[in-house]
Amino acid sequence: MTKTRKKLWIGLVIMALISPIGLILPELFNSGDAWGEWGTDTLEKLLGFVPEGLKKYTDFWKAPFPDYNLAGEDSSMSVQVISYAASGMIGILVVVAVIYLISKVVLKNDR
């Protein structure tokens, strides 16, 4: 592994580990949801309506880990923090696996 690649991996792991800050800070300051991570109910409160296109596709995608929480909505803050970091790690691994597979297919076709 090259030095640059090692630094990249270290940076990705650090970012996944500090990702729970996005969960902890809003809780500490009672600020509500993270900007842009609103559900249709929050948009209704903020805008007074929900855009039709958003209503149409609301149920199109169900996240594998809703709210990045592996244990459910009523779990403790410590479980949510661990779930947040684990979700980040899982996301990194999935992206790396997809990129690896795509690169194998592309390199195979180039030969």
Side-chain angles (χ1 to χ4, degrees):
M1 183 179 308
T2 66
K3 192 173 184 178
T4 303
R5 193 174 289 168
K6 187 175 182 179
K7 287 180 182 179
L8 174 66
W9 279 110
I10 290 170
L12 286 172
V13 169
I14 288 171
M15 288 190 328
L17 290 175
I18 66 171
S19 67
I21 290 173
L23 180 69
I24 296 168
L25 289 180
E27 187 75 23
L28 286 175
F29 295 108
N30 197 22
S31 63
D33 296 336
W35 196 91
E37 291 196 12
W38 307 304
T40 53
D41 53 338
T42 307
L43 276 176
E44 177 80 38
K45 289 176 192 171
L46 291 171
L47 300 174
F49 70 99
V50 178
E52 287 301 317
L54 187 59
K55 279 185 193 177
K56 183 178 176 183
Y57 293 109
T58 297
D59 294 324
F60 180 74
W61 171 257
K62 295 291 183 192
F65 308 118
D67 296 328
Y68 313 106
N69 195 346
L70 305 174
E73 285 185 31
D74 298 328
S75 58
S76 68
M77 180 58 86
S78 59
V79 171
Q80 290 180 31
V81 166
I82 292 167
S83 294
Y84 236 64
S87 293
M89 295 289 196
I90 291 168
I92 289 168
L93 292 174
V94 168
V95 169
V96 167
V98 168
I99 290 171
Y100 178 79
L101 291 172
I102 290 171
S103 68
K104 286 293 184 187
V105 169
V106 169
L107 290 176
K108 183 180 178 183
N109 290 339
D110 282 347
R111 292 182 188 163

